[in-house]
Amino acid sequence: MKLNLYLIPSLGSNCIDDGYQPIKNKLKDKFNVIYSNINWKNSSITEWSKQFTQHYLSTKAIKNIIVGFSYGAMTAINATTNLSPNELILCSLSPFFSEYLNKLPKTWIRSESKKRLYGFKNCSIEKIAKSIIDKKINIHLMVGEKELKIWPSMKSATFEFNKILKPKDFIIVSKARHRLEENYQNELIKLLQHL
């Protein structure tokens, strides 16, 4: 029986046009690949998580893997407080959790809507971690090497996430930016092939 592989894209994008097709093509023999597109417009982390949770519960299999990218990773980990997938892969996990908002560049904060910021203020990575660690979910954390170099706040948050979440894998993707480009796709595919 194939495992379900859920792919949650980043803010404003969808799985069809944002680098997920090569992943589906290479893994379709091993996984039932399910695109989990989110309605990002005028909504917050709470609504994104509810959308994904409903989708997951209506389609889940005996074994399930969730992969999220950036805000999709935030959505995945937040939703997992109410779900129990076998594996959770967080790619370039956005640092917009309540603990880090005051450490992020002001330009990042100003780019967010009031509704999204309100949701982020109520989204604590430490509370989420406490909620999911007892579930024995295998967590894998991935991040692009270039995004760590370009954004010091992303780097510090990512290394904090590594301490808090205690992932099975912490993968820094060589030369990768904050995009699901070819080298990032290849590292993700390699990880998924070994699960």
Side-chain angles (χ1 to χ4, degrees):
M1 175 182 283
K2 287 185 185 179
L3 285 80
N4 275 5
L5 172 61
Y6 294 88
L7 301 175
I8 310 173
S10 58
L11 179 71
S13 63
N14 65 64
C15 293
I16 294 170
D17 62 8
D18 204 38
Y20 295 88
Q21 195 64 41
I23 296 167
K24 182 176 184 175
N25 291 343
K26 288 189 180 171
L27 297 172
K28 63 185 175 190
D29 292 335
K30 182 173 181 176
F31 298 105
N32 178 27
V33 181
I34 301 171
Y35 291 158
S36 297
N37 291 313
I38 302 295
N39 180 5
W40 302 108
K41 194 171 183 180
N42 299 320
S43 55
S44 69
I45 183 71
T46 305
E47 293 155 312
W48 307 335
S49 300
K50 282 181 186 173
Q51 287 177 53
F52 176 71
T53 297
Q54 289 171 350
H55 184 226
Y56 178 93
L57 291 174
S58 68
T59 57
K60 71 177 181 170
I62 294 170
K63 292 191 175 181
N64 303 278
I65 299 172
I66 301 172
V67 176
F69 189 86
S70 189
Y71 280 6
M74 276 190 86
T75 301
I77 195 168
N78 193 47
T80 300
T81 60
N82 298 309
L83 306 172
S84 295
N86 302 82
E87 310 279 341
L88 178 63
I89 303 174
L90 305 169
C91 301
S92 298
L93 180 59
S94 174
F96 278 84
F97 291 94
S98 59
E99 296 88 344
Y100 301 100
L101 290 175
N102 64 347
K103 300 174 188 172
L104 298 177
K106 296 208 183 319
T107 53
W108 290 14
I109 299 297
R110 284 194 298 266
S111 70
E112 297 299 331
S113 70
K114 287 181 183 176
K115 187 172 189 176
R116 278 205 298 258
L117 280 175
Y118 180 78
F120 295 150
K121 286 177 185 173
N122 293 298
C123 190
S124 162
I125 188 69
E126 291 177 9
K127 286 182 184 174
I128 291 169
K130 284 177 189 170
S131 157
I132 66 174
I133 285 178
D134 290 341
K135 295 183 183 186
K136 308 253 188 276
I137 298 165
N138 290 321
I139 299 172
H140 311 268
L141 190 60
M142 299 180 75
V143 67
E145 178 185 31
K146 287 186 178 178
E147 60 188 315
L148 294 179
K149 288 180 181 175
I150 295 168
W151 299 319
S153 49
M154 181 77 166
K155 181 177 181 178
S156 60
T158 299
F159 282 93
E160 278 298 309
F161 297 155
N162 187 42
K163 286 181 198 169
I164 294 167
L165 297 171
K166 299 174 179 55
K168 185 175 179 180
D169 297 296
F170 179 36
I171 301 166
I172 298 175
V173 183
S174 179
K175 301 178 183 173
R177 301 175 294 163
H178 191 76
R179 296 182 193 282
L180 198 55
E181 51 203 7
E182 189 175 355
N183 50 340
Y184 212 133
Q185 292 169 16
N186 291 339
E187 284 298 318
L188 178 56
I189 290 165
K190 192 186 337 179
L191 172 61
L192 286 162
Q193 286 172 332
H194 289 95
L195 297 181

